[in-house]
């Protein structure tokens, strides 16, 4: 039986046009995977186009150059991680439970979205400006969230502290969390809960004493 031959004058069925937001998500999903696998310099727009199933001209039209696309990846992944941490924190819980949930959410996210973390932390760190500026802004927002959690912990203390006073502790906690994730990626036999518990014990056991007015001083 002869196969039907498409008549040149016959109108072709229209393909469904996807919303811009869906197209951008497809492009960013593909770009994150390709950047994570190859690094910024070795990643090609051809491969991103192929993985996304979207033409290069359309990628340029939606998200711009390769540099602009990488910045967009950093911004989206940073926002997703921060939203995950914020969403896990219940302000009705005790301060230690709020911090615990935030830390656990951080490690769960980095375990589930390893490509995201590779782009956000390892790749962005290595490339310099303007990518490092985007990463610095994300760290600053994260420190603000952690500083607020730590400040809440002092509400019942003899001397309540403000979030700006907690910034040094928040910076130390963010740095420790990033370092632990990097170690964890090379030693993957540990759970997200286990990693969060290690950091919680290291931080809270000391910080808890500080909240109670017991601080260490050199002799």
């Amino acid at each position: 039986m002869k196969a039907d031959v498409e008549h040149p004058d016959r109108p072709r069925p229209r393909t469904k046009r996807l919303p811009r937001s869906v197209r951008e998500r497809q492009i960013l999903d593909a770009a994150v995977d390709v950047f994570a696998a190859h690094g910024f310099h070795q990643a090609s727009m051809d491969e991103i186009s192929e993985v996304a199933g979207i033409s290069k001209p359309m990628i340029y039209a939606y998200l711009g150059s390769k540099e602009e696309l990488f910045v967009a990846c950093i911004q989206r992944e940073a926002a997703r991680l921060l939203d995950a941490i914020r969403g896990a924190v219940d302000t009705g819980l005790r301060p230690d439970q709020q911090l615990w949930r935030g830390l656990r959410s951080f490690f769960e996210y980095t375990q589930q979205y390893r490509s995201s973390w590779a782009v956000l932390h390892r790749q962005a760190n290595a490339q310099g400006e303007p990518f490092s500026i985007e990463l610095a802004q994300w760290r600053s927002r994260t420190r603000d969230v952690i500083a607020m959690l730590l400040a809440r912990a002092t509400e019942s203390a003899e001397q309540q502290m403000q979030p700006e006073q907690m910034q040094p502790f928040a910076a130390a906690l963010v740095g420790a969390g990033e370092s632990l994730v990097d170690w964890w990626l090379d030693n993957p036999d540990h759970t997200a809960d286990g990693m969060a518990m290690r950091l919680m014990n290291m931080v809270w056991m000391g910080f808890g004493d500080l909240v109670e007015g017991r601080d260490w001083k050199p002799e």
Side-chain angles (χ1 to χ4, degrees):
M1 184 176 179
K2 264 188 163 182
D4 289 338
V5 177
E6 185 177 0
H7 194 282
D9 296 328
R10 184 182 301 164
R12 297 182 181 182
R14 292 186 178 180
T15 56
K16 188 176 180 181
R17 189 170 183 178
L18 294 174
R20 182 186 182 98
S21 60
V22 174
R23 288 290 191 193
E24 288 185 352
R25 187 180 71 242
Q26 291 174 335
I27 295 168
L28 289 170
D29 288 345
V32 166
D33 287 341
V34 174
F35 284 134
H38 304 299
F40 172 73
H41 292 295
Q42 297 301 317
S44 72
M45 295 295 275
D46 286 325
E47 184 174 358
I48 293 171
S49 171
E50 182 179 350
V51 173
I54 297 172
S55 69
K56 275 203 304 183
M58 188 175 289
I59 292 177
Y60 289 126
Y62 280 144
L63 291 164
S65 67
K66 181 179 173 182
E67 289 78 9
E68 290 170 317
L69 178 57
F70 192 61
V71 168
C73 288
I74 295 171
Q75 291 172 341
R76 189 190 73 164
E77 301 314 304
R80 283 182 165 183
L81 176 54
L82 200 53
D83 285 346
I85 295 171
R86 284 175 175 151
V89 176
D90 182 349
T91 56
L93 296 173
R94 296 195 319 266
D96 61 326
Q97 289 298 317
Q98 292 182 43
L99 183 59
W100 157 247
R101 289 197 176 194
L103 292 178
R104 186 174 61 182
S105 176
F106 169 70
F107 284 103
E108 286 175 345
Y109 185 92
T110 55
Q111 182 180 46
Q112 185 175 356
Y113 301 104
R114 298 206 171 192
S115 292
S116 172
W117 181 255
V119 167
L120 185 58
H121 184 64
R122 289 185 167 179
Q123 296 295 337
N125 257 338
Q127 303 307 325
E129 295 184 5
F131 313 128
S132 58
I133 294 175
E134 294 292 334
L135 185 61
Q137 291 174 349
W138 168 74
R139 282 198 180 110
S140 177
R141 292 193 296 271
T142 306
R143 285 196 300 268
D144 289 343
V145 171
I146 299 298
M148 180 65 71
L149 292 177
L150 296 179
R152 284 179 192 160
T154 68
E155 289 176 358
S156 60
E158 186 174 330
Q159 183 178 3
Q160 183 176 348
M161 302 184 80
Q162 299 302 311
E164 55 268 22
Q165 295 173 284
M166 294 289 100
Q167 283 287 337
F169 300 105
L173 183 54
V174 170
E178 291 177 352
S179 296
L180 269 177
V181 170
D182 276 346
W183 179 87
W184 187 27
L185 292 177
D186 296 326
N187 300 271
D189 295 334
H190 301 270
T191 65
D193 273 10
M195 297 303 297
M197 187 71 73
R198 288 175 175 84
L199 185 55
M200 184 71 188
N201 274 283
M202 184 178 74
V203 173
W204 189 259
M205 297 306 287
F207 189 76
D209 283 342
L210 187 63
V211 168
E212 297 298 327
R214 298 187 296 272
D215 58 340
W216 180 87
K217 293 183 176 66
E219 293 180 3

